[in-house]
Amino acid sequence: MSDPRHKLHVSLRVTASIAALAVALPATAQSTLPEVDEGTPFDLGTIIFQSDRDGTPIEDVPRAVKNIDTEELEDAAKTSTNFSQTLPQIIPGFGTPVYQNATRGLFLRGRDPLFLIDGIPVTSSFGVQFQYFDHSIIDNIEVLYGPTALYGRGASGGVIQFFTKDPTDEPQTRITTGITSSLANDSAFDEDSLSYRLGVETSGRIDNLGYVGVVSLERHGAHFQPDGQRIAPTRLDDFDDASVFGKLTYDIDGAQSVEGFLSYGRSVARATDFTNTASEGSDPTAVAIFQPQDYEDEPQQEGVYTALSYRNNDLAGGDFRLQLYYSSEEITQIGSDIRERQEAQGGTLPDIWPGLFQTNGDDEAFGLRADYAFDVSSNVSVNIGADYRDETNEFVVGISDPDVFDATGVYDASDSGPQAPPVDLESFGLFVQTTWDVTERTTITGGVRYDSFEYDVGPASPVFARDPGLRPGGSGDADGFSYNIGTIFDLNDSTTLFASFAQGFSLPQINFAAGSVDPGVSLEGSGLLEPIVVDSYEVGVRGFVGATDYSLAAFYAESELGSSPTVDPATGGGRIERAPQRNYGFEFEAQRAFTDTINAGIGVSWNEGENDTDDDGDFEALSSLTVLPLKVTLQANWQATQRLNLNGSVFYLGDRDAAFDDGVDNYRAEGYVTADVGATFAFDNGGELSMQITNVLNEEYIPLESQSRFLATADRRFAGPGRELVINYAYTF
């Protein structure tokens, strides 16, 4: 990049009511900040946005978009390597931090986003298991807001795509290590709270062959509430993670290249001496109780992702890309004991449900993607492409014998039953996208996509059904077209206006929708698996004023038959609502360097949504599990010396009562505020030491996703962790 202020690339969010509070992400400790010219904007260089499937300068995309670069990701990793925790603090409109390896509650603009890594879908029936991909393998992340016809199924809220690192020109090795400890009351430096990390990354080239290799090990300790109470196991703590990533690139000639990568991750329960229970009172939290337990089926998660790609950027004058991929996931969760909440013990949960169980899942997929982009003329370009994917998944509940467990503490998994019907889903898509530079200041982009889905749902008697009995399953198909058109207009050299209309065409989560039909009822005609067609309208502006860069986008999205999760008030479990749905809101970001040592910014994200479950024209609020309240992230950075960088941040979440007032939720979404501080020091030898203190004020709060847990899931109503210390050291040579 030509301007060193690229080192100050920031992603910031703040409410208008506290607009005077400036925010920014920290620069690297080695940065030498330039003097600030009030009339000169940040020069971030040309950022190529790849998630439109045709590399386009980011300023020419007629949609709300966001790029998170390597330095920003490295800064986030100094606090946590868990993307479920860090990304909501970086991406406006995207959920709130979730302190577990899960994406429940992580919606983009109130709808499901599609997660990709180098074009491979990593959104599966399990959600997204981020621990399969170490933080250090990711070069940048792109966010495309709103539904899109470019990727098909699952992108009704937008696309969040991870791009892995390319080989460096010169051999380079980086070693990182770190430790985390609780500083909460009565738990400071408790041995059980200690987490350790070790990673080794190497990269380089040998003639035309490039390579990247990463090995990562992480031991997750326990978390503690601000009052020192140990938080119940969250499927993140007390686990050991290991991951291996390898990537090879080969340049055949000046136009042709091939690339392949393999990513393998495994997460295994290390300590099983504690289990979950809900604390007493009207506002319970899931606390840990000492109850040593063993397993015949060890709790663990394992995932493999691999892809092989070919590119020819001069095929008949165009750019051709072909990718084949395969993915596989296996999950065995920690055990759950709901016997005390069943009807025989005075609870509300059916006695026919298993009292002791583990959820097991298998998901396997393979597919291909092809794109061909070419210029029709000097001001018209076309991109055509196709996608194919075949995915199978199955959820099985391992049921344990209560007598064996009470006598030995062992989840013996001596029986089993389906949690949801098994599914085989085959999808195929074709698209055409065109860009027309009408004038020097005006560009129009538009396209059409055709999607075809075929699914086969096996028979099953779900063990957690309120009405027991066999669901016969069945086969079905769906197809349809989706369209998009957008325009950008450069109002002047510093201001760009954009507007777009975009549709999304996808299917709901088939296995759980299929398990929702009544016993003996065929899927055909149930309406539960009808496609979700989303119409989204968006307007926005981006540009700069003096030395401040900014972007603002407002949206409205509607669907005649939406699909939104809500919480069943009878059981506390999740269910899918199919009903007319609408979502709306806005995101705002800005960034500014005030002096040669201080940068700052401001931003805000807010959205709302309703659906009409009775189809009577009377819309009610969507669950707060789906709709994100007002969200603010404040961050500030000071390059105190040439080597020392200081930073601070504040995360703010507002309240939301709409779903409670409409009787949709039985809880009010309560906001909270947390603050972090940190410092980074760079050494002469290429080393870098960072120290971060998270939740420095030891604030008591419950993350938004956990607030939705009650009854059957009350033992997952995890409190947010109290004050913690994170120390990291990295050495590059």
Side-chain angles (χ1 to χ4, degrees), residues 505-521:
F505 183 91
S506 61
L507 295 183
Q509 196 168 357
I510 294 179
N511 42 20
F512 288 105
S516 299
V517 300
D518 293 330
V521 175

PDB file of all heavy atoms in Angstrom, residues 505-521:
ATOM      1  N   PHE A 505     -32.985 -16.849  -2.727  1.00  0.00           N
ATOM      2  CA  PHE A 505     -33.832 -18.023  -2.901  1.00  0.00           C
ATOM      3  C   PHE A 505     -33.154 -19.177  -2.173  1.00  0.00           C
ATOM      4  O   PHE A 505     -32.042 -19.576  -2.518  1.00  0.00           O
ATOM      5  CB  PHE A 505     -33.980 -18.353  -4.389  1.00  0.00           C
ATOM      6  CG  PHE A 505     -34.909 -19.514  -4.681  1.00  0.00           C
ATOM      7  CD1 PHE A 505     -36.260 -19.292  -4.905  1.00  0.00           C
ATOM      8  CD2 PHE A 505     -34.424 -20.809  -4.736  1.00  0.00           C
ATOM      9  CE1 PHE A 505     -37.122 -20.350  -5.175  1.00  0.00           C
ATOM     10  CE2 PHE A 505     -35.271 -21.878  -5.002  1.00  0.00           C
ATOM     11  CZ  PHE A 505     -36.625 -21.642  -5.224  1.00  0.00           C
ATOM     12  N   SER A 506     -33.801 -19.710  -1.135  1.00  0.00           N
ATOM     13  CA  SER A 506     -33.173 -20.774  -0.361  1.00  0.00           C
ATOM     14  C   SER A 506     -34.249 -21.629   0.293  1.00  0.00           C
ATOM     15  O   SER A 506     -35.454 -21.331   0.214  1.00  0.00           O
ATOM     16  CB  SER A 506     -32.237 -20.190   0.703  1.00  0.00           C
ATOM     17  OG  SER A 506     -32.953 -19.370   1.612  1.00  0.00           O
ATOM     18  N   LEU A 507     -33.820 -22.690   0.947  1.00  0.00           N
ATOM     19  CA  LEU A 507     -34.706 -23.577   1.690  1.00  0.00           C
ATOM     20  C   LEU A 507     -34.460 -23.416   3.180  1.00  0.00           C
ATOM     21  O   LEU A 507     -33.345 -23.071   3.597  1.00  0.00           O
ATOM     22  CB  LEU A 507     -34.472 -25.039   1.294  1.00  0.00           C
ATOM     23  CG  LEU A 507     -34.812 -25.449  -0.135  1.00  0.00           C
ATOM     24  CD1 LEU A 507     -34.571 -26.948  -0.312  1.00  0.00           C
ATOM     25  CD2 LEU A 507     -36.248 -25.109  -0.494  1.00  0.00           C
ATOM     26  N   PRO A 508     -35.455 -23.674   4.006  1.00  0.00           N
ATOM     27  CA  PRO A 508     -35.238 -23.647   5.453  1.00  0.00           C
ATOM     28  C   PRO A 508     -34.386 -24.834   5.884  1.00  0.00           C
ATOM     29  O   PRO A 508     -34.049 -25.703   5.070  1.00  0.00           O
ATOM     30  CB  PRO A 508     -36.655 -23.738   6.026  1.00  0.00           C
ATOM     31  CG  PRO A 508     -37.417 -24.485   4.986  1.00  0.00           C
ATOM     32  CD  PRO A 508     -36.834 -24.043   3.667  1.00  0.00           C
ATOM     33  N   GLN A 509     -34.048 -24.895   7.169  1.00  0.00           N
ATOM     34  CA  GLN A 509     -33.277 -26.020   7.687  1.00  0.00           C
ATOM     35  C   GLN A 509     -34.158 -27.264   7.638  1.00  0.00           C
ATOM     36  O   GLN A 509     -35.074 -27.437   8.427  1.00  0.00           O
ATOM     37  CB  GLN A 509     -32.815 -25.729   9.116  1.00  0.00           C
ATOM     38  CG  GLN A 509     -31.721 -26.654   9.578  1.00  0.00           C
ATOM     39  CD  GLN A 509     -31.066 -26.172  10.862  1.00  0.00           C
ATOM     40  OE1 GLN A 509     -31.403 -25.120  11.379  1.00  0.00           O
ATOM     41  NE2 GLN A 509     -30.132 -26.939  11.381  1.00  0.00           N
ATOM     42  N   ILE A 510     -33.865 -28.149   6.689  1.00  0.00           N
ATOM     43  CA  ILE A 510     -34.800 -29.208   6.323  1.00  0.00           C
ATOM     44  C   ILE A 510     -35.025 -30.211   7.446  1.00  0.00           C
ATOM     45  O   ILE A 510     -36.162 -30.602   7.722  1.00  0.00           O
ATOM     46  CB  ILE A 510     -34.313 -29.918   5.046  1.00  0.00           C
ATOM     47  CG1 ILE A 510     -34.374 -28.950   3.862  1.00  0.00           C
ATOM     48  CG2 ILE A 510     -35.164 -31.143   4.748  1.00  0.00           C
ATOM     49  CD1 ILE A 510     -33.896 -29.536   2.561  1.00  0.00           C
ATOM     50  N   ASN A 511     -33.936 -30.651   8.110  1.00  0.00           N
ATOM     51  CA  ASN A 511     -34.120 -31.739   9.072  1.00  0.00           C
ATOM     52  C   ASN A 511     -35.040 -31.352  10.222  1.00  0.00           C
ATOM     53  O   ASN A 511     -35.913 -32.129  10.620  1.00  0.00           O
ATOM     54  CB  ASN A 511     -32.764 -32.238   9.590  1.00  0.00           C
ATOM     55  CG  ASN A 511     -31.798 -31.121   9.887  1.00  0.00           C
ATOM     56  OD1 ASN A 511     -32.195 -29.966  10.067  1.00  0.00           O
ATOM     57  ND2 ASN A 511     -30.527 -31.449   9.915  1.00  0.00           N
ATOM     58  N   PHE A 512     -34.879 -30.150  10.760  1.00  0.00           N
ATOM     59  CA  PHE A 512     -35.731 -29.762  11.873  1.00  0.00           C
ATOM     60  C   PHE A 512     -37.133 -29.377  11.411  1.00  0.00           C
ATOM     61  O   PHE A 512     -38.116 -29.580  12.124  1.00  0.00           O
ATOM     62  CB  PHE A 512     -35.078 -28.637  12.669  1.00  0.00           C
ATOM     63  CG  PHE A 512     -33.902 -29.108  13.468  1.00  0.00           C
ATOM     64  CD1 PHE A 512     -32.608 -28.819  13.077  1.00  0.00           C
ATOM     65  CD2 PHE A 512     -34.081 -29.894  14.595  1.00  0.00           C
ATOM     66  CE1 PHE A 512     -31.530 -29.278  13.796  1.00  0.00           C
ATOM     67  CE2 PHE A 512     -33.004 -30.359  15.329  1.00  0.00           C
ATOM     68  CZ  PHE A 512     -31.727 -30.053  14.934  1.00  0.00           C
ATOM     69  N   ALA A 513     -37.242 -28.831  10.202  1.00  0.00           N
ATOM     70  CA  ALA A 513     -38.572 -28.554   9.662  1.00  0.00           C
ATOM     71  C   ALA A 513     -39.323 -29.859   9.433  1.00  0.00           C
ATOM     72  O   ALA A 513     -40.521 -29.976   9.736  1.00  0.00           O
ATOM     73  CB  ALA A 513     -38.456 -27.766   8.357  1.00  0.00           C
ATOM     74  N   ALA A 514     -38.616 -30.877   8.928  1.00  0.00           N
ATOM     75  CA  ALA A 514     -39.255 -32.172   8.678  1.00  0.00           C
ATOM     76  C   ALA A 514     -39.690 -32.839   9.977  1.00  0.00           C
ATOM     77  O   ALA A 514     -40.688 -33.565  10.015  1.00  0.00           O
ATOM     78  CB  ALA A 514     -38.295 -33.087   7.920  1.00  0.00           C
ATOM     79  N   GLY A 515     -38.963 -32.611  11.055  1.00  0.00           N
ATOM     80  CA  GLY A 515     -39.334 -33.182  12.337  1.00  0.00           C
ATOM     81  C   GLY A 515     -40.481 -32.462  13.008  1.00  0.00           C
ATOM     82  O   GLY A 515     -40.990 -32.917  14.040  1.00  0.00           O
ATOM     83  N   SER A 516     -40.918 -31.333  12.426  1.00  0.00           N
ATOM     84  CA  SER A 516     -41.991 -30.547  13.033  1.00  0.00           C
ATOM     85  C   SER A 516     -43.384 -30.957  12.562  1.00  0.00           C
ATOM     86  O   SER A 516     -44.379 -30.476  13.103  1.00  0.00           O
ATOM     87  CB  SER A 516     -41.777 -29.052  12.722  1.00  0.00           C
ATOM     88  OG  SER A 516     -40.552 -28.594  13.254  1.00  0.00           O
ATOM     89  N   VAL A 517     -43.460 -31.819  11.536  1.00  0.00           N
ATOM     90  CA  VAL A 517     -44.776 -32.245  11.066  1.00  0.00           C
ATOM     91  C   VAL A 517     -45.385 -33.199  12.092  1.00  0.00           C
ATOM     92  O   VAL A 517     -44.696 -33.780  12.937  1.00  0.00           O
ATOM     93  CB  VAL A 517     -44.688 -32.933   9.688  1.00  0.00           C
ATOM     94  CG1 VAL A 517     -44.115 -31.987   8.659  1.00  0.00           C
ATOM     95  CG2 VAL A 517     -43.866 -34.203   9.769  1.00  0.00           C
ATOM     96  N   ASP A 518     -46.697 -33.383  12.029  1.00  0.00           N
ATOM     97  CA  ASP A 518     -47.377 -34.303  12.935  1.00  0.00           C
ATOM     98  C   ASP A 518     -47.078 -35.744  12.554  1.00  0.00           C
ATOM     99  O   ASP A 518     -46.758 -36.040  11.391  1.00  0.00           O
ATOM    100  CB  ASP A 518     -48.890 -34.058  12.894  1.00  0.00           C
ATOM    101  CG  ASP A 518     -49.269 -32.705  13.479  1.00  0.00           C
ATOM    102  OD1 ASP A 518     -48.541 -32.243  14.378  1.00  0.00           O
ATOM    103  OD2 ASP A 518     -50.272 -32.126  13.023  1.00  0.00           O
ATOM    104  N   PRO A 519     -47.181 -36.677  13.517  1.00  0.00           N
ATOM    105  CA  PRO A 519     -46.942 -38.088  13.207  1.00  0.00           C
ATOM    106  C   PRO A 519     -47.833 -38.579  12.071  1.00  0.00           C
ATOM    107  O   PRO A 519     -49.022 -38.251  12.004  1.00  0.00           O
ATOM    108  CB  PRO A 519     -47.285 -38.793  14.524  1.00  0.00           C
ATOM    109  CG  PRO A 519     -47.093 -37.759  15.572  1.00  0.00           C
ATOM    110  CD  PRO A 519     -47.485 -36.465  14.944  1.00  0.00           C
ATOM    111  N   GLY A 520     -47.249 -39.340  11.154  1.00  0.00           N
ATOM    112  CA  GLY A 520     -47.989 -39.906  10.043  1.00  0.00           C
ATOM    113  C   GLY A 520     -48.251 -38.962   8.900  1.00  0.00           C
ATOM    114  O   GLY A 520     -48.819 -39.362   7.881  1.00  0.00           O
ATOM    115  N   VAL A 521     -47.855 -37.703   9.033  1.00  0.00           N
ATOM    116  CA  VAL A 521     -48.134 -36.699   7.998  1.00  0.00           C
ATOM    117  C   VAL A 521     -46.948 -36.601   7.043  1.00  0.00           C
ATOM    118  O   VAL A 521     -45.801 -36.467   7.469  1.00  0.00           O
ATOM    119  CB  VAL A 521     -48.423 -35.324   8.629  1.00  0.00           C
ATOM    120  CG1 VAL A 521     -48.591 -34.262   7.537  1.00  0.00           C
ATOM    121  CG2 VAL A 521     -49.658 -35.395   9.506  1.00  0.00           C
TER     122      VAL A 521
END
